[in-house]
Amino acid sequence: MKLQEHFVQSVRLYYKAKGEAWLQQLPKLIQYCEQKWSIKLKEPYFLSINYVAPATMEDGTEIVVKICIPDEGFLNELEALQLFANDRMVSLIDSDKRYGIIVLKKLSPGHTLAEVNNDEDACYIAAHLIKAITKPAPVHTRIPTTGSREEQLRQLVYVNPNGVGPISQQTLDQALRIFTYLHQTTKFYKLLHGDFHHYNVLASENGTWTAIDPKGLIGEVEYDLIQYMLNKLPVHNAYDVIKKRVEIFTEELHLDKERLLLWGYCHTVLATAWTVDEDRSYNTQFFGGIEIFEKLYKANFGDVTYLTS
Ligand SMILES: Nc1ncnc2c1ncn2[C@@H]1O[C@H](COP(=O)(O)OP(=O)(O)OP(=O)(O)O)[C@@H](O)[C@H]1O
Ligand SMILES: [Mg+2]
């Protein structure tokens, strides 16, 4: 079976031996899906670390089958799909917890929000979608809170006392202080998408837009918008683009701009750290975002102790 080369590399890099074993099993897992749901999987989409392919059920329903390593992330995504159950979130048709399989309704035409060229138009679409899917946090859930992100950063600081890749120790410390401050002052916990960005928003029937791929997270709405703001940035003038996105989100969703910028700062530090590779390469756009959120904060709210000390 011929698999996309970058997919094989990513699975090996991310999951190590477990990923290698899963790749070996993949032909059998595909066969298992085909038998269980009486389908024939078509060519997969452009893959990252899960095997995702369309198919047609016997009754003609167009579906997408997503085969994942059945770990924590898979279980969180499955629960998030069940909890969201909303017409602006992709519908879950069936699942198989044992083998890490999710069966979704196929969205058509299915192109992503990245194909909307006008950045402001795309941002309004994103804001309205977030408004439609966000809901109060459930009382009992396995889905982690944004506190887990603060803990990830704390671990990073602990393991890398002199900084991570291009991120200085001072920046890491500052981001951690801001994370702590924000969690100490959070009032409303919501069920969040957890990986909301242009490529996880697909064009669907009747000109609507639908979210896919919710990783699931519990926290403030402001947090869910940061990953979107770091994506699809121009090489030059990213500052103005992020500034405009911040304005649109703040107005459309009635958000607290100060907290949005602070979440922006600390999440961007963490997101940049995630991209630092063994060869010390990293996502330069994310790295540039750290300074942009800091500058925007200063322009709007001036120097505050938790940003400057
Ligand atoms: N319900 C759907 N309808 C149509 N296309 C879909 C659907 N679900 C997924 N896809 C396609 O498959 C691709 C991968 O899906 P998805 O984002 O869920 O996988 P992933 O492995 O979690 O990806 P990543 O980690 O890159 O976000 C999507 O970008 C999209 O092109
Ligand atoms: Mg995705």
Side-chain angles (χ1 to χ4, degrees), residues 168-291:
S168 68
Q169 179 199 354
Q170 189 206 12
T171 301
L172 285 179
D173 288 345
Q174 186 158 271
L176 195 52
R177 276 201 299 278
I178 294 171
F179 250 135
T180 306
Y181 162 79
L182 288 167
H183 282 124
Q184 282 169 346
T185 50
T186 294
K187 290 199 187 94
F188 302 108
Y189 279 94
K190 302 276 170 124
L191 173 63
L192 308 179
H193 181 287
D195 191 23
F196 187 76
H197 55 69
H198 301 72
Y199 300 93
N200 281 337
V201 176
L202 302 190
S204 41
E205 285 74 13
N206 308 320
T208 56
W209 293 88
T210 304
I212 63 162
D213 200 13
K215 304 288 186 243
L217 199 61
I218 306 290
E220 285 197 322
V221 179
E222 286 85 350
Y223 189 89
D224 223 8
L225 304 167
I226 312 305
Q227 200 56 42
Y228 179 94
M229 288 198 269
L230 294 176
N231 267 277
K232 226 195 149 212
L233 289 172
V235 179
H236 301 293
N237 222 5
Y239 179 89
D240 285 340
V241 174
I242 293 189
K243 182 171 178 247
K244 190 70 204 171
R245 291 177 181 178
V246 166
E247 278 165 19
I248 293 173
F249 282 135
T250 306
E251 276 166 33
E252 292 300 306
L253 298 167
H254 310 293
L255 300 179
D256 182 325
K257 190 174 186 178
E258 182 172 12
R259 294 181 74 82
L260 180 64
L261 294 174
L262 291 176
W263 284 121
Y265 181 81
C266 54
H267 175 77
T268 305
V269 169
L270 182 62
T272 307
W274 284 336
T275 70
V276 177
D277 228 323
E278 279 164 6
D279 64 2
R280 281 182 65 86
S281 64
Y282 56 91
N283 186 317
T284 52
Q285 272 194 336
F286 288 8
F287 182 58
I290 299 173
E291 199 186 349

Side-chain angles (χ1 to χ4, degrees), residues 85-124:
N86 172 311
D87 62 357
R88 303 299 301 280
M89 174 65 73
V90 66
S91 306
L92 177 69
I93 293 178
D94 204 354
S95 64
D96 185 315
K97 270 193 184 171
R98 184 163 177 212
Y99 292 112
I101 305 160
I102 288 170
V103 180
L104 302 161
K105 184 171 168 239
K106 186 177 174 210
L107 299 166
S108 185
H111 56 268
T112 74
L113 188 54
E115 289 186 37
V116 172
N117 284 326
N118 183 302
D119 205 75
E120 291 182 26
D121 290 349
C123 199
Y124 280 109

Side-chain angles (χ1 to χ4, degrees), residues 141-161:
T141 179
R142 58 167 298 114
I143 294 174
T145 68
T146 50
S148 63
R149 301 292 175 91
E150 182 185 333
E151 275 318 302
Q152 279 184 39
L153 190 66
R154 184 163 287 110
Q155 274 304 311
L156 264 161
V157 174
Y158 182 70
V159 177
N160 303 276

Side-chain angles (χ1 to χ4, degrees), residues 39-53:
I39 51 172
K40 181 97 193 97
L41 288 191
K42 297 174 196 161
E43 276 297 299
Y45 293 102
F46 183 81
L47 302 174
S48 59
I49 52 169
N50 300 300
Y51 191 88
V52 191

